[in-house]
């Protein structure tokens, strides 16, 4: 396995240099196993189930991935895949935005310089699927020559698998799931006898009591305010109040009565009990504040658990509790977000790429990753006795319960689904911030956002 980690200051030195490097790394191997139907090595099965993992031995595949907990967790195992298949793996790692930028540039030019890439379907899924950048995986999945008999697609949770399916085409395989949860300070809640929030309105009550009982020395709650990032944590408020992104006519429906109530509630929490400058907050600032012991609750991704419980960086690592996002009048519909890996439709090594995709998302590998803290999209991982044994204390059990609750009830749409999803999410973020900053009423801000989103949708 060859690993290249790109940092921002290196990336800006020239994308062309990166592309050149990757092509050199391919070693001139341009065979297309899908087209040729030939195998470089027809060795017998390596697993005893009759499946020939060596059918594409000698090929090289390139992976474009992000600096992400999944990447860190799976990297040590890639040599096992190389030994099992005889396929060489080149791994290129970039920060999230740079990876997305490189992927888009390469795909727009129909480049085959990577074969498998991480993709966030809730953000770029519609755009990439419409442009033809994803390979439809169903033919690979249904081919017994290419898919091991024990792969078991039905073991994936419905939400993550649905999130990798666009317009009835399976365009990716889920690798990790996450969702917004409430992290809270157990010591504060115990000391001041603060009830654990059970409903969405309880969040306000708890935040107010934290500030009152600590004489304002600790903020009640921190949550996202940066426009591009807000939709992820705003969505649960919106859905739990009973609102929907679109009405029956396909028009943006942020200004529905339930939507306006959700917007007012989110803005009140942020402005009355959040930290100064919350409109610039994303998970980085929120988790840092929580780790310093300066806030009683944090609303953010379940993936922040490992950071908050790290005693080397968190002053409150031993005082953390976790609960699912509480239900509201419209039920319990937390945002459920899955990352997936997809196959470049311009790949020249699709069969080899598929072998890697099914190996890395197999039941056995997902279990190994789950035991390293990767929230698995597979049902079997969560019930496995080995994984259950890793839930060593109440905090870990609470975290696991919160994630499974998200998997059970989650909504995969972070914002109103759109080809230009990032623009739509920014509109939502600006809407929320205008109410937090008291520049608009909730009704005015929501109506303005609806008009903007409808214009974006009509231009698709």
């Amino acid at each position: 396995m060859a690993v290249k980690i790109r940092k921002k200051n290196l990336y800006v030195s020239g994308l062309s240099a990166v592309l050149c490097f990757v092509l050199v790394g391919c070693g001139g191997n341009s065979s297309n196993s899908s087209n040729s139907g030939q195998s470089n090595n027809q060795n017998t099965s390596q697993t005893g189930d009759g499946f020939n993992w060596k059918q594409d031995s000698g090929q090289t595949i390139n992976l474009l991935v992000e600096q992400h907990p999944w990447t860190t967790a799976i990297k040590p195992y890639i040599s096992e895949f190389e030994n099992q298949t005889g396929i060489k793996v080149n791994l290129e790692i970039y920060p999230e935005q740079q990876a997305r930028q490189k992927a888009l540039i390469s795909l727009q030019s129909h480049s085959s310089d990577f074969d498998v890439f991480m993709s966030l379907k809730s953000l770029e899924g519609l755009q990439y699927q419409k442009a033809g950048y994803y390979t439809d995986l169903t033919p690979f999945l249904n081919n017994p020559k290419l898919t091991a008999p024990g792969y078991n697609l039905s073991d994936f949770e419905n939400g993550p698998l649905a999130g990798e399916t666009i317009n009835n085409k399976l365009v990716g395989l889920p690798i990790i799931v996450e969702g917004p949860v409430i992290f809270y300070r157990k010591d504060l809640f115990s000391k001041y006898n603060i009830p654990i929030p059970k409903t969405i309105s309880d969040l306000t009550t708890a935040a107010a009591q934290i500030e009152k009982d600590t004489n304002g020395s600790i903020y009640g709650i921190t949550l996202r305010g940066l426009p591009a990032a807000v939709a992820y944590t705003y969505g649960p408020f919106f859905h739990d109040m009973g609102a929907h992104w679109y009405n029956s006519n396909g028009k943006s429906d942020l200004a529905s009565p339930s939507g306006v109530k959700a917007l007012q509630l989110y803005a009140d929490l942020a402005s009355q009990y959040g930290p100064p400058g919350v409109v610039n907050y994303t998970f980085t600032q929120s988790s840092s504040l929580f780790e310093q012991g300066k806030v009683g609750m944090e609303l953010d991704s379940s993936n922040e658990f490992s950071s908050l419980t790290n005693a080397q960086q968190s002053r409150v690592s031993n005082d953390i509790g976790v609960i699912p996002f509480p239900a509201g009048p419209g039920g319990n519909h937390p945002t459920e977000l899955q990352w997936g890996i997809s196959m470049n439709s311009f790949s020249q090594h699709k069969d080899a790429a598929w072998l890697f995709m099914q190996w890395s998302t197999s039941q056995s590998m997902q279990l190994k990753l789950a035991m390293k803290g990767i929230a698995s999209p597979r049902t079997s991982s969560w019930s496995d006795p080995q994984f259950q044994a890793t839930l060593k204390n109440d905090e870990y059990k609470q975290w696991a319960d919160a994630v499974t609750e998200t998997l059970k009830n989650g909504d995969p749409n972070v914002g109103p689904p759109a080809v230009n999803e990032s623009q739509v999410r920014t509109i939502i973020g600006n809407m929320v911030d205008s109410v937090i900053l008291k520049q608009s009423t909730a009704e005015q801000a929501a109506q303005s956002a609806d008009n903007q989103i409808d214009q974006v949708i009509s231009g698709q």
Side-chain angles (χ1 to χ4, degrees):
M1 174 184 61
V3 180
K4 286 88 182 176
I5 300 176
R6 304 296 189 187
K7 296 182 179 179
K8 186 175 182 179
N9 58 338
L10 296 177
Y11 183 81
V12 296
S13 65
L15 179 61
S16 59
V18 174
L19 296 176
C20 179
F21 185 84
V22 173
L23 290 171
V24 171
C26 290
N29 185 346
S30 60
S31 65
N32 184 339
S33 61
S34 290
N35 294 330
S36 67
Q38 300 297 317
S39 300
N40 294 329
N41 188 333
Q42 293 295 330
N43 287 347
T44 57
S45 169
Q46 303 297 298
T47 58
D49 59 2
F51 186 72
N52 181 15
W53 283 97
K54 289 281 190 181
Q55 59 187 282
D56 287 295
S57 178
Q59 293 200 31
T60 297
I61 59 172
N62 297 308
L63 273 59
L64 176 62
V65 296
E66 304 182 2
Q67 291 178 353
H68 186 279
W70 179 83
T71 305
T72 302
I74 200 168
K75 192 165 60 175
Y77 295 109
I78 289 181
S79 60
E80 293 182 8
F81 171 78
E82 292 178 322
N83 293 333
Q84 183 177 352
T85 63
I87 297 170
K88 186 178 187 303
V89 176
N90 287 330
L91 189 62
E92 282 205 84
I93 306 172
Y94 294 88
E96 179 175 345
Q97 294 304 319
Q98 292 171 32
R100 185 166 290 116
Q101 182 183 24
K102 172 173 170 50
L104 182 57
I105 292 173
S106 296
L107 292 167
Q108 286 175 329
S109 62
H110 294 193
S111 170
S112 61
D113 61 352
F114 58 83
D115 303 287
V116 177
F117 62 109
M118 286 178 69
S119 178
L120 193 58
K121 303 304 184 302
S122 61
L123 183 59
E124 66 253 10
L126 283 174
Q127 177 188 9
Y128 282 20
Q129 200 274 338
K130 182 180 180 181
Y133 296 158
Y134 295 128
T135 296
D136 182 1
L137 302 179
T138 301
F140 294 85
L141 192 68
N142 291 338
N143 186 339
K145 176 179 179 293
L146 297 176
T147 301
Y151 183 66
N152 194 6
L153 187 74
S154 62
D155 182 46
F156 285 104
E157 299 277 359
N158 291 334
L161 197 58
E164 296 295 325
T165 304
I166 302 177
N167 294 333
N168 297 317
K169 293 185 183 298
L170 183 66
V171 298
L173 296 173
I175 55 175
I176 186 174
V177 294
E178 61 174 287
V181 298
I182 301 292
F183 299 102
Y184 68 95
R185 288 273 303 278
K186 290 193 302 185
D187 54 335
L188 293 180
F189 275 67
S190 176
K191 180 178 180 179
Y192 298 115
N193 196 28
I194 303 172
I196 302 298
K198 294 181 178 178
T199 69
I200 194 170
S201 59
D202 290 342
L203 290 173
T204 302
T205 304
Q209 189 173 348
I210 290 168
E211 295 207 354
K212 175 178 176 293
D213 291 345
T214 62
N215 296 317
S217 62
I218 295 179
Y219 301 112
I221 190 169
T222 183
L223 63 179
R224 296 187 183 191
L226 193 70
V230 166
Y232 179 74
T233 48
Y234 176 63
F237 287 82
F238 187 75
H239 290 122
D240 284 11
M241 292 300 288
H244 302 280
W245 294 127
Y246 293 116
N247 63 22
S248 58
N249 296 318
K251 299 292 185 182
S252 178
D253 205 19
L254 300 173
S256 68
S258 297
V260 170
K261 289 179 181 177
L263 177 55
Q264 192 65 60
L265 177 59
Y266 193 97
D268 287 346
L269 267 174
S271 61
Q272 296 177 20
Y273 308 111
V278 68
V279 293
N280 296 313
Y281 269 47
T282 183
F283 68 91
T284 304
Q285 294 79 15
S286 285
S287 292
S288 176
L289 195 73
F290 194 91
E291 289 165 6
Q292 296 173 45
K294 295 181 178 178
V295 63
M297 295 185 290
E298 177 184 358
L299 168 59
D300 219 297
S301 168
S302 53
N303 281 348
E304 292 303 291
F305 181 71
S306 60
S307 171
L308 300 180
T309 54
N310 184 345
Q312 294 183 334
Q313 65 186 53
S314 175
R315 296 178 183 176
V316 296
S317 60
N318 294 323
D319 295 314
I320 293 175
V322 190
I323 58 172
F325 189 84
N332 186 8
H333 308 286
T335 302
E336 176 269 308
L337 186 67
Q338 93 288 335
W339 282 86
I341 49 175
S342 293
M343 188 189 301
N344 180 355
S345 65
F346 310 109
S347 167
Q348 298 297 304
H349 306 276
K350 289 187 174 180
D351 287 0
W354 172 248
L355 289 178
F356 176 84
M357 293 179 70
Q358 64 170 303
W359 168 84
S360 61
T361 59
S362 64
Q363 285 179 289
S364 60
M365 181 50 61
Q366 293 278 17
L367 175 60
K368 290 179 181 179
L369 300 180
M371 294 175 66
K372 298 177 73 171
I374 301 300
S376 175
R378 281 188 175 273
T379 303
S380 59
S381 301
W382 293 93
S383 59
D384 190 277
Q386 296 180 73
F387 173 74
Q388 288 292 322
T390 66
L391 305 178
K392 53 192 177 185
N393 55 37
D394 288 344
E395 293 79 41
Y396 282 78
K397 292 175 183 175
Q398 287 181 345
W399 172 81
D401 288 345
V403 175
T404 51
E405 183 72 18
T406 299
L407 282 170
K408 186 192 310 179
N409 300 315
D411 187 314
N413 296 312
V414 177
V419 173
N420 197 337
E421 181 71 20
S422 61
Q423 185 178 0
V424 167
R425 292 191 195 179
T426 299
I427 291 171
I428 291 175
N430 288 331
M431 171 193 75
V432 172
D433 285 356
S434 70
V435 182
I436 292 175
L437 297 172
K438 303 189 186 309
Q439 296 169 339
S440 306
T441 66
E443 291 84 356
Q444 292 170 338
Q447 189 58 62
S448 175
D450 277 339
N451 294 336
Q452 294 174 63
I453 291 173
D454 284 341
Q455 287 182 2
V456 172
I457 299 301
S458 65
Q460 291 182 167

